[in-house]
Structure formats: C-alpha cells, structure tokens
Amino acid sequence: MTLEIKGIDEATITKTIIEKAAEDWVKLSETDVVVVGAGPAGLTTAYYLAKAGLKTVVFERKLSFGGGIGGGGMLFHKVVVQPPADQIVKEIGCPVEKVEENLFAVDAAVLIAKLANSAVDAGAKIILGVTVDDVIFRNGDSPRIVGVVIQWTSVIMAGIHVDPLAIKAKAVVDCTGHDAEVLSIVSRKIPELNLFVQGEKSMWASEAEKLTVEKTGEVCPGLYAAGMAVAALHQTPRMGPIFGGMLLSGKKVAQIIIQKLR
Ligand code: 48F
C-alpha cells in the first residue's frame, strides 16, 4: 500500500456526506421501531430488535453512545453485572471477570464498544446528535403513539426556533434514563393517556434491578419503556452502577415488541 495521498475535491466530500446522509434519512423516515437513547438499555434493545430483523433506529442526543456506562461508578471505569445478564455481556463478546458467584466486573469502555458494535452489526442504525422532543399521536377509537418528533440537539442548545421533523414508527421505546423524557412529554401533552412519571426512589440495588425488569414493557399503545425510564415511571428504586437490569430490561422490551409486530 502506498502512503501517497491523492488529491480529493472539497465539493466531492460535501456532496458525498449530504447525499449519503439523505439516503439514510429517507429510508428511516418510516421505520419499525424508534429507540430513544443509546445508553445500555437502548443499545441492548436495538441489538435484539435488529437481530430479529426489525428496522430499528436509535436517536441519541449526544455525539457519543453508552449513556451512563462511561461514568462507571463515580468515574471509576468499571461496572458490574449479575446473572443472568452476564450471558448477554458474553453474547456480545465483552469479557467479564467473576468477582463472586453472582457478580461480574466489566470494563466500562469495552461494554460501550461491544454493545454499540453488536447493535450496528445486527443492522440497527444509530443517529447521534438528535434529540427526541415530542411524539406523533393519533387519537380516535384507539389512541396510539405512531412516531417521534426530532430536532438537532445543537438547534435546541442554541435556543433558536426551528420547526422539527417527524419519524413514523410502529413502536417507540423510551430508553432515555433517569428523566424518562419521552414518557414525561407524553404525560404533559397527552393527558387522556393518564400517564404519570413519578420519579425514581432512593437506592436499593437488588430490589431496583428486579423491579426494573419486571415492570419493563408497553406503557400505552405504541409506546414502550426500558431501563431507568421504567424506574422513573413506576417510582421504583435506583441501583447505581450495576447494569444487569438495564441489559435485561432492553432484551425484555425487544422481545415484547418482536412478539407484537409479528
Ligand atoms: O442514562 P442512560 O444510560 O439510561 P439507561 O439506558 O441506563 C441507566 C444507567 O446508565 C445508570 C443506572 C443503572 O445502571 O442507574 O444510570 O436507562 O442512557 C440514556 C441515553 O438517552 C439519551 C442520553 O443522552 C443517554 O445517552 N437521551 C436522553 N434524553 C434523550 C436522549 C432525548 N430526548 N432524545 C435523545 N436521546
């Protein structure tokens, strides 16, 4: 391989980026599932949905994925998982280190890389720098969430008014973490759905892990929740840097949606 760099035209770079991005956006304007948030719950959800052949797009407000994984525990770069979530971690090719019978240590950066890699390899599309700031709602005989409203995070941060775009979807999953942003929007804007986001309780790791997974599922027609959004909705405890529940919650919501959309 020669190291000589050939001349490349700036206009071609620009055209390529715009054309290729536009091709993607046209394809994803109607999709099977929109996952909101690329944290542990969102990436796991996307991985299992895409693996089952569902057209899946993840919108992440930041320019990176991983959500709360990257912070490890108080910035110490490890997280822990417990059975049976260690099976998911192994399945995506992430090394685990057994600490005791029911606890494994995992490197935070490696878990992020492997989760994201598994999701995109399975066929999920992850779009960074996009914030979901509303849903599309259809009222009538069977009220239903039928998609999301999106905006560039940079536009929101600039505080300028720019009308958003919308993406139609058969299912929307709130994986936005502790603030349960999509559920909170629905609670505020669609009172007829009677959704109340109560906020999570103080820490109780084992109970929190169990309840998060137990209560994961459909919240109202077309709208689902996984990960810490579930705890915020049902006012169950937080758990800190143990991530098994997030992965199991993502897998469970994917299984429910796969069943529903088949
Ligand atoms: O916060 P986050 O990691 O949520 P999670 O997947 O996992 C929670 C754990 O990280 C941890 C814990 C348990 O182990 O307590 O905190 O439930 O990931 C949420 C992602 O959603 C993005 C946000 O930037 C983050 O990457 N996000 C939040 N709101 C929006 C959003 C939004 N409106 N639009 C797009 N992305």
Side-chain angles (χ1 to χ4, degrees), residues 219-231:
V219 175
C220 62
L223 180 61
Y224 301 75
M228 283 314 287
V230 174

Side-chain angles (χ1 to χ4, degrees), residues 12-243:
T12 310
I13 297 173
T14 303
K15 266 190 265 177
T16 303
I17 287 172
I18 293 175
E19 272 174 18
K20 292 295 157 195
E23 271 172 26
D24 276 357
W25 278 101
V26 168
K27 278 191 220 141
L28 60 83
S29 59
E30 265 187 279
T31 192
D32 288 328
V33 189
V34 166
V35 176
V36 189
L43 290 173
T44 310
T45 304
Y47 165 56
Y48 285 107
L49 288 170
K51 202 171 162 212
L54 291 176
K55 191 174 161 191
T56 305
V57 58
V58 183
F59 290 117
E60 166 55 51
R61 115 173 340 145
K62 295 187 179 154
L63 294 180
S64 55
F65 31 62
I69 303 172
M74 214 181 87
L75 288 183
F76 291 104
H77 65 278
K78 298 285 176 184
V79 296
V80 298
V81 296
Q82 74 282 38
D86 60 309
Q87 294 306 323
I88 299 177
V89 180
K90 289 172 190 157
E91 180 183 328
I92 60 169
C94 182
V96 295
E97 196 181 322
K98 192 168 182 176
V99 180
E100 54 182 56
E101 201 45 51
N102 286 329
L103 204 68
F104 299 84
V106 182
D107 188 274
V110 179
L111 181 59
I112 294 173
K114 297 289 183 183
L115 269 177
N117 190 54
S118 302
V120 295
D121 274 0
K125 178 66 84 183
I126 303 176
I127 307 276
L128 301 174
V130 170
T131 295
V132 169
D133 80 344
D134 204 346
V135 295
I136 317 175
F137 176 58
R138 293 285 183 269
N139 214 336
D141 290 346
S142 48
R144 190 176 179 82
I145 306 299
V146 294
V148 294
V149 176
I150 55 169
Q151 183 56 275
W152 303 117
T153 303
S154 51
V155 166
I156 293 172
M157 289 172 81
I160 50 178
H161 176 75
V162 178
D163 272 323
L165 288 176
I167 304 290
K168 297 280 291 288
K170 294 173 189 150
V172 173
V173 195
D174 186 337
C175 294
T176 63
H178 297 259
D179 292 334
E181 291 203 13
V182 182
L183 302 179
S184 301
I185 290 163
V186 170
S187 152
R188 198 174 68 243
K189 292 194 164 196
I190 316 177
E192 56 267 49
L193 288 177
N194 289 319
L195 207 65
F196 300 103
V197 180
Q198 308 178 71
E200 69 199 20
K201 277 191 179 158
S202 293
M203 192 181 286
W204 182 359
S206 56
E207 192 69 358
E209 289 287 282
K210 186 167 71 85
L211 289 174
T212 304
V213 181
E214 258 175 42
K215 293 185 178 294
T216 291
E218 192 171 28
V219 175
C220 62
L223 180 61
Y224 301 75
M228 283 314 287
V230 174
L233 178 66
H234 294 286
Q235 202 164 41
T236 54
R238 66 187 304 185
M239 71 290 285
I242 178 161
F243 278 73

